[in-house]
Amino acid sequence: MNHRLAFHDVAPHGHRYARASDLGSFEFTYKAEITSIYRLTDAENLYRIRIVNNEDRRHFSFRPGQFVMLELPGVGEAPFSISSSPSNREDIELCIRTVGNLTGVLGHAVRGTRVGIRGPFGTSFPMERMHGGNILLIAGGLGLAPLRAPIAHVQEHRSMFDHVDIIYGSKELSKLLFTFQYEMWKKDDIGLHIVLEKGDPAWSGPVGMITKVLEEIIGFRDVSFIRQTHAIVCGPPVMFKFVCAMLSERGIPMHKMFVSLERRMHCGMGKCCRCNVGSTYTCLKGPVFDYWSVMNLKEAI
Amino acid sequence: MLFRVAEASQLKALFELLAQTNTMLGPVKVADDLGGNPVYSFEEVAEFSRLSLDYTTTRLSAKRFFLPFREDLAVFALQGKDWSKQMDYHMDRPAVLFGLHACDINALNRLDKVLMGSDHPVPYYAAKRKNIFIIGTGCTPRPSCFCRSMGTNTVTHGFDLFVTDIGGGRLFFEIFSSEAYHVIRDLATGEPTPEDHNAYMRVETERNRKITTTVDTTDLTKILDMEFQSPVWKTWGDKCLGCGSCASACPTCYCYGVEETVDPGLREAKKTRTLYSCNIVDFAEVAGGHNFRPERGTRLKYRYYHKHRGFVEAYEESLCVGCGRCGDICLAGITVPEVIASVRGGDPT
Amino acid sequence: MNASKQEQRTYLGIPVPRPKVAFFELSSCEGCQLQIVNNEATLLDFLSLVDVRAFREAMTEKFSDYQIAFIEGSVTRADEIERLRKVREQAAVIVAFGSCACFGGVNQLKNRFSDPAWVKQEVYRGHPVETADTARPIEDFVKVDLKIFGCPVKKEEVEKIVTSLVLGKTVVHPKYPVCLECKANNNLCLFDLGEPCLGPITRGGCNAWCPNNRFGCWGCRGPAVDANVAQLQKIMRQHGFSEETILDRLECFGGFAEQAKELRSKIGGKG
Ligand SMILES: Cc1cc2nc3c(=O)[nH]c(=O)nc-3n(C[C@H](O)[C@H](O)[C@H](O)COP(=O)(O)OP(=O)(O)OC[C@H]3O[C@@H](n4cnc5c(N)ncnc54)[C@H](O)[C@@H]3O)c2cc1C
Ligand code: SF4
Ligand code: SF4
Ligand code: SF4
Ligand code: SF4
Ligand code: SF4
Ligand code: FES
């Protein structure tokens, strides 16, 4: 006598998926094509990426602040914030700095190279909650990349916001990102304040700490303005720590400030544990956190 | 749950019933250590006599059958600028795991929560979990077991069949799945009598009496937060080798890294997942070399955070089933009961 | 062996260069170089990735227009230093190939004798020898761009590294110790069997070659990142291993030279 056990095929329909609860969602990759590569600085490129399959492309949507996992087969996969408008359903843009393995090879990529995209993953900036008030969009260095999606939202819904200011700190003149957009932002009545860490003969604007410029912008504002204000802060941890501390002192409640945390990531789906801060998954509960939550995360700063 | 009793000889019959057409896995004695104690390991077995069902514990858990240390998540065929991605879950036939203890079944149940019960469930794990028929057996506690403190000394689901030796040459079957019921039908079994129930309870009480090591988990999530800056982490960190053996042995550790490679002929690429350990130096290191946990002490602390705080927050139970393997395998002698007792600021009780 | 000119290869459309490489040996057993020719199955693929301009193990003709130089062996003689400097002038990338080149390797064992004159007398029976008193890693003399660890190196690893180099990927060495792969292979721990093992402090990547064969690790790949050497020494003592046993292990390949020296001075070593 013998007893052959039944075999269960767990994902009979393969890696198509409709819901995040499907087994097929785990390694589901949108195939996408690099349609243009624009050199922003010596170290950063802007990649325009288009999902190849028409139906997939319609399926893909994201909220400002979310990220995707970008994969170049055989090279690697890593998280990148989507740096374009959520209302653009044709393609997405990623602003990528060359720092290591995948980003290094991407630096040599050509138009037409096909990549994989998984996601979008993570939390987003709650733009709707900010409607009717003022916004401070504060970026340090590469932090401008994730800010480009909320900035686009503001541009497209300009009448929903009162005062909007971008405060952008960069190391030096040659490292400024998205210079081609500055005029457009200003045209949309967004105040643009750029500050460099290092002076330059060709630069007539302010030089020094970003907090100094910030002080000038909000220093003269009254209580009712501050009460109506949200802040989105993206940049290296030391930078957002100082900025948030200062804003907090000025009276902006911590739950009205949003930051985006960066951690090592290997999945984006709460499985690999590499992104944990204390015991919170940055890829699930973040990358966007309000500052109150960040203060309550062990290991966050 | 249905219950049945049978003569002890039916265990071999059960094995043989399944062994003819299914892959059989189970505890096997593989060596004696220096002190003359047997060392066990879960292996593929062909003969019932090879099984050591009275084993204490295995060095490594049965995790590798469900979460292999290294697994290809995808293979890419390359064509010019394009590629195609192929997935295989590496499970093509059912298998039987014969002789898993309660703690280890509970460990699988915890893995199920994160790997199957949350968004983006892991098909590689699910394929194995759903196709490995699990036969639990009562255990032989050893000094490092503290499953009672973790509530994992009994198990109520997550297996197909559980067999307990209730003495007097009799076996007590707990039948969980209908598949198990169908198998049992082909054995000579009977309805348990009240005396069998009593015997079962006596055996369990006796077993529990032998589990002597305890861990006080009262308010542990809060205490871990309060003791975040405690100097004990550095003390343990100085001892720790950062070798990751604890995670390798642990039945519930599941974290990993992903690496992609290309064959030297540039024909094919692979995306490979390798289990990792948060005690290893580059677990939280990012591009450019910044390391969020550069010291061994902070990494060891994070291990306890994940197991005894983060997982509890998310799933109402700890990611530790008290099997004691990590302490047994640690060359530096770092054990969960001692670490937690030191964090609580007292001696282990 | 230098394949004829072929058209530019690409990977997913990205151009892939075919660098010119050369292999050199200093004082070594040439075992590392042999690893490469040994692998017939993938040798052709390997040769299509790189253009080999000099390789003593397999070719007589030599060219000196290489970009990447793989250097095997440690430095023991003055003329080797001179050769090294010449290679450095030509090569864009110098790869220390194998443990001898990386740490001195087994050759550096002679460094431990504090009276080299005595060694020469005893070992070479007074025959004239032109070896310096020490065996040094090549890094002591020229800048090294990349290291490939192992005694011998592992051919799969070399192939992976070379593939990464031509694709422009970064070459990352495992930072974790041998134990991780040893456990992955479900090995019995040698400490349980009464054998010493440097697995907990040695850089992984060899797939636990020695423990797989029930030999304790001798540390041929040098220290893992953040290796807790002091703690392992303590553990070895607790397991009853003598200071000499510990020292023998630590100083075998030169990767733990610092700790070995410290231990030697503590126990007042021989020589
Ligand atoms: C939510 C999020 C958004 C990000 N957005 C951007 C962006 O818009 N632009 C940009 O240039 N960079 C961004 N980064 C950082 C970017 O992910 C890293 O620069 C990238 O992983 C480096 O990959 P690499 O292979 O070149 O580096 P390597 O050092 O070779 O890294 C190897 C692997 O380690 C992991 N890893 C290393 N560093 C990081 C890191 N900082 N964060 C996460 N994983 C890491 C990745 O899996 C990576 O593939 C973001 C990171 C996060 C977490
Ligand atoms: S706790 Fe023990 S087993 Fe775990 S990493 Fe540290 S030394 Fe290794
Ligand atoms: S942490 Fe240790 S005791 Fe707890 S389940 Fe893992 S191996 Fe067992
Ligand atoms: S405790 Fe550490 S090793 Fe275990 S699953 Fe969590 S992160 Fe991984
Ligand atoms: S045998 Fe060596 S490498 Fe393997 S686990 Fe034991 S100490 Fe580590
Ligand atoms: S186990 Fe140790 S000695 Fe053996 S090959 Fe690996 S690193 Fe070298
Ligand atoms: S990136 Fe894997 S768990 Fe967050």
Side-chain angles (χ1 to χ4, degrees):
Chain A
M1 220 183 319
N2 78 58
H3 204 100
R4 183 189 292 277
L5 295 170
F7 182 72
H8 307 274
D9 191 356
V10 295
H13 309 299
H15 274 268
R16 292 268 94 202
Y17 94 99
R19 295 173 309 261
S21 56
D22 290 349
L23 281 167
S25 79
F26 186 77
E27 264 299 323
F28 178 77
T29 306
Y30 294 104
K31 186 179 285 182
E33 185 169 314
I34 300 181
T35 56
S36 87
I37 303 171
Y38 181 87
R39 199 171 177 76
L40 291 169
T41 71
D42 280 354
E44 284 105 359
N45 289 325
L46 186 65
Y47 298 83
R48 186 170 294 155
I49 289 163
R50 183 180 158 90
I51 293 173
V52 175
N53 180 288
N54 291 334
E55 203 180 312
D56 283 353
R57 195 161 62 246
R58 274 194 295 278
H59 185 73
F60 185 92
S61 70
F62 71 96
R63 299 186 307 276
Q66 286 192 295
F67 67 93
V68 290
M69 295 295 281
L70 175 76
E71 177 171 34
L72 197 53
V75 178
E77 188 180 40
F80 299 99
S81 304
I82 306 176
S83 187
S84 51
S85 167
S87 63
N88 176 355
R89 302 296 294 268
E90 281 304 304
D91 42 40
I92 59 168
E93 289 174 0
L94 305 177
C95 165
I96 297 180
R97 175 180 285 175
T98 300
V99 288
N101 177 41
L102 172 65
T103 54
V105 178
L106 277 174
H108 300 118
V110 294
R111 274 176 55 187
T113 291
R114 297 211 159 171
V115 296
I117 296 272
R118 294 193 297 113
F121 296 122
T123 53
S124 57
F125 302 112
M127 302 311 291
E128 283 73 20
R129 250 196 272 158
M130 305 178 196
H131 284 177
N134 314 305
I135 301 197
L136 297 170
L137 296 143
I138 307 167
L142 191 55
L144 193 59
L147 274 196
R148 236 174 129 233
I151 293 174
H153 174 96
V154 169
Q155 286 179 290
E156 288 157 19
H157 304 80
R158 187 62 189 88
S159 61
M160 307 298 287
F161 299 91
D162 204 354
H163 289 274
V164 180
D165 288 286
I166 297 173
I167 303 105
Y168 172 36
S170 178
K171 278 228 167 64
E172 52 191 271
L173 193 59
S174 66
K175 295 212 161 100
L176 284 179
L177 296 169
F178 302 113
T179 47
F180 58 89
Q181 289 213 294
Y182 298 168
E183 285 313 310
M184 281 183 276
W185 290 342
K186 286 183 193 159
K187 274 194 194 123
D188 280 326
D189 193 23
I190 296 174
L192 176 63
H193 318 269
I194 297 173
V195 53
L196 300 183
E197 245 170 61
K198 210 174 105 202
D200 192 292
W203 176 249
S204 55
V207 175
M209 299 289 283
I210 196 166
T211 38
K212 201 184 86 193
V213 177
L214 196 54
E215 182 66 55
E216 281 164 22
I217 294 164
I218 60 164
F220 67 94
R221 298 293 191 181
D222 58 14
V223 183
S224 73
F225 180 94
I226 296 288
R227 252 191 222 136
Q228 297 294 317
T229 301
H230 281 86
I232 297 180
V233 191
C234 288
V238 266
M239 174 258 176
F240 70 65
K241 202 170 133 186
F242 278 111
V243 167
C244 291
M246 187 204 142
L247 295 177
S248 177
E249 194 165 307
R250 285 270 161 260
I252 302 183
M254 286 200 251
H255 69 271
K256 285 184 159 187
M257 294 182 235
F258 297 91
V259 302
S260 180
L261 293 192
E262 221 178 83
R263 284 297 186 277
R264 185 167 186 143
M265 292 188 176
H266 282 280
C267 74
M269 304 178 292
K271 302 292 185 282
C272 73
C273 303
R274 303 301 281 269
C275 68
N276 277 212
V277 182
S279 48
T280 301
Y281 290 95
T282 307
C283 65
L284 298 179
K285 296 277 173 70
V288 174
F289 291 93
D290 69 43
Y291 199 59
W292 170 250
S293 309
V294 172
M295 294 297 282
N296 281 289
L297 284 180
K298 294 287 171 197
E299 298 194 310
I301 30 184
Chain B
M1 192 106 64
L2 291 179
F3 304 110
R4 275 280 189 283
V5 284
E7 294 298 312
S9 62
Q10 290 300 299
L11 206 54
K12 183 162 185 270
L14 173 64
F15 181 93
E16 279 159 6
L17 210 55
L18 290 162
Q20 286 176 37
T21 44
N22 303 291
T23 306
M24 303 300 284
L25 311 164
V28 168
K29 185 186 147 191
V30 286
D32 286 307
D33 70 10
L34 257 195
N37 302 308
V39 179
Y40 302 101
S41 169
F42 289 113
E43 302 289 342
E44 193 170 330
V45 279
E47 297 285 329
F48 181 72
S49 58
R50 275 264 288 153
L51 284 178
S52 297
L53 289 173
D54 59 349
Y55 74 113
T56 48
T57 189
T58 51
R59 269 283 189 274
L60 304 185
S61 69
K63 179 172 70 180
R64 69 193 170 103
F65 301 120
F66 301 87
L67 276 179
F69 174 74
R70 192 178 278 119
E71 188 168 25
D72 289 337
L73 296 179
V75 175
F76 299 90
L78 308 164
Q79 309 121 3
K81 292 178 180 176
D82 202 0
W83 44 267
S84 60
K85 180 176 183 178
Q86 282 117 32
M87 264 84 63
D88 182 341
Y89 304 145
H90 309 113
M91 191 72 190
D92 57 4
R93 74 191 63 167
V96 177
L97 187 43
F98 202 112
L100 207 54
H101 292 163
C103 58
D104 283 348
I105 299 171
N106 277 308
L108 289 172
N109 290 344
R110 297 199 184 179
L111 284 179
D112 290 351
K113 288 190 170 177
V114 55
L115 301 181
M116 278 169 32
S118 59
D119 270 359
H120 307 293
V122 184
Y124 307 85
Y125 174 81
K128 287 146 200 142
R129 182 69 167 113
K130 296 204 165 151
N131 285 300
I132 298 182
F133 184 92
I134 290 177
I135 301 178
T137 49
C139 64
T140 318
R142 66 195 200 292
S144 42
C145 301
F146 57 96
C147 51
R148 257 180 102 181
S149 301
M150 310 311 289
T152 50
N153 51 329
T154 64
V155 62
T156 54
H157 66 281
F159 54 88
D160 292 276
L161 177 68
F162 202 100
V163 186
T164 307
D165 183 339
I166 54 172
R170 285 168 80 73
L171 303 172
F172 192 86
F173 288 145
E174 296 166 62
I175 305 163
F176 189 83
S177 70
S178 94
E179 204 151 22
Y181 182 75
H182 279 270
V183 179
I184 289 295
R185 274 201 319 202
D186 293 340
L187 296 178
T189 64
E191 285 291 334
T193 62
E195 177 41 38
D196 291 326
H197 291 168
N198 286 337
Y200 177 86
M201 286 184 266
R202 270 199 306 277
V203 166
E204 287 307 310
T205 311
E206 180 57 19
R207 195 191 325 279
N208 285 333
R209 212 179 46 77
K210 288 188 194 142
I211 305 167
T212 49
T213 300
T214 58
V215 168
D216 184 0
T217 59
T218 325
D219 278 336
L220 189 54
T221 55
K222 280 186 214 165
I223 289 167
L224 283 170
D225 259 8
M226 288 187 265
E227 298 303 330
F228 194 76
Q229 308 288 359
S230 165
V232 301
W233 296 118
K234 175 156 186 340
T235 311
W236 292 113
D238 288 344
K239 285 189 165 200
C240 175
L241 297 159
C243 65
S245 290
C246 42
S248 302
C250 179
T252 57
C253 279
Y254 58 87
C255 61
Y256 61 88
V258 172
E259 191 189 28
E260 304 211 4
T261 49
V262 185
D263 81 294
L266 309 187
R267 284 175 288 258
E268 185 185 88
K270 273 185 186 159
K271 179 181 196 179
T272 309
R273 185 225 61 189
T274 309
L275 291 187
Y276 219 57
S277 153
C278 57
N279 286 78
I280 291 172
V281 62
D282 58 349
F283 187 83
E285 192 179 84
V286 293
H290 181 71
N291 192 341
F292 287 96
R293 296 185 202 104
E295 309 89 13
R296 286 188 293 269
T298 52
R299 295 198 293 275
L300 192 120
K301 172 166 70 180
Y302 167 73
R303 178 174 175 82
Y304 283 80
Y305 260 72
H306 186 208
K307 294 217 162 267
H308 300 276
R309 185 180 182 285
F311 202 83
V312 183
E313 230 170 34
Y315 300 106
E316 309 286 335
E317 53 187 16
S318 144
L319 187 63
C320 169
V321 294
C323 73
R325 284 191 182 90
C326 56
D328 288 350
I329 212 157
C330 177
L331 287 167
I334 300 173
T335 71
V336 177
E338 282 175 282
V339 171
I340 290 182
S342 75
V343 174
R344 300 187 74 102
D347 296 326
T349 42
Chain C
M1 201 154 159
N2 57 103
S4 59
K5 258 204 150 3
Q6 48 187 163
E7 57 181 293
Q8 169 81 63
R9 276 176 106 182
T10 59
Y11 182 79
L12 298 176
I14 305 166
V16 176
R18 184 160 173 259
K20 296 186 167 69
V21 306
F23 289 81
F24 300 99
E25 61 287 319
L26 306 176
S27 296
S28 71
C29 66
E30 295 173 32
C32 286
Q33 291 189 57
L34 273 174
Q35 283 293 310
I36 295 185
V37 269
N38 267 350
N39 199 1
E40 276 171 33
T42 45
L43 188 59
L44 282 179
D45 283 341
F46 186 80
L47 293 177
S48 68
L49 285 179
V50 292
D51 179 0
V52 180
R53 308 300 282 169
F55 192 94
R56 200 174 90 184
E57 290 302 333
M59 59 200 280
T60 44
E61 248 184 310
K62 281 182 188 148
F63 301 87
S64 52
D65 55 350
Y66 50 87
Q67 293 142 337
I68 305 178
F70 289 84
I71 301 178
E72 186 194 86
S74 55
V75 182
T76 59
R77 299 189 314 253
D79 64 305
E80 290 174 339
I81 304 174
E82 213 27 60
R83 271 177 72 206
L84 254 185
R85 298 224 161 100
K86 287 231 173 71
V87 174
R88 182 70 273 187
E89 275 165 30
Q90 169 61 31
V93 175
I94 282 194
V95 183
F97 195 53
S99 294
C100 295
C102 294
F103 315 114
V106 191
N107 287 324
Q108 57 78 46
L109 271 178
K110 66 180 179 182
N111 298 359
R112 67 180 169 186
F113 300 109
S114 49
D115 183 4
W118 174 86
V119 180
K120 277 185 196 166
Q121 181 58 37
E122 286 299 300
V123 180
Y124 301 99
R125 297 283 162 210
H127 293 299
V129 279
E130 34 159 322
T131 117
D133 295 342
T134 56
R136 295 273 164 226
I138 60 177
E139 203 172 32
D140 286 3
F141 305 95
V142 293
K143 183 175 149 270
V144 168
D145 305 285
L146 183 69
K147 291 178 183 168
I148 302 185
F149 305 106
C151 180
V153 296
K154 240 178 99 212
K155 55 190 176 183
E156 295 83 0
E157 197 180 13
V158 177
E159 284 164 4
K160 184 176 153 188
I161 288 174
V162 170
T163 309
S164 293
L165 276 178
V166 304
L167 291 179
K169 294 177 66 174
T170 43
V171 174
V172 274
H173 290 293
K175 294 182 178 169
Y176 56 79
V178 174
C179 290
L180 192 73
E181 288 164 344
C182 186
K183 291 287 182 271
N185 295 338
N186 200 20
N187 290 337
L188 279 171
C189 182
L190 286 149
F191 279 95
D192 283 340
L193 304 174
E195 289 287 322
C197 179
L198 292 191
I201 55 170
T202 301
R203 188 187 293 276
C206 63
N207 196 25
W209 202 339
C210 301
N212 290 350
N213 296 299
R214 293 220 177 179
F215 293 113
C217 169
W218 284 84
C220 81
R221 297 165 66 86
V225 177
D226 199 28
N228 196 347
V229 182
Q231 180 64 21
L232 185 69
Q233 290 186 37
K234 228 185 253 175
I235 291 166
M236 287 171 92
R237 275 179 213 118
Q238 282 163 6
H239 278 79
F241 299 117
S242 68
E243 302 294 329
E244 282 71 25
T245 307
I246 300 172
L247 184 59
D248 273 356
R249 293 262 155 172
L250 284 177
E251 68 183 0
C252 183
F253 286 99
F256 297 94
E258 224 171 275
Q259 291 92 346
K261 202 171 143 202
E262 202 178 299
L263 181 59
R264 173 165 292 281
S265 68
K266 212 168 80 194
I267 63 174
K270 54 199 161 205

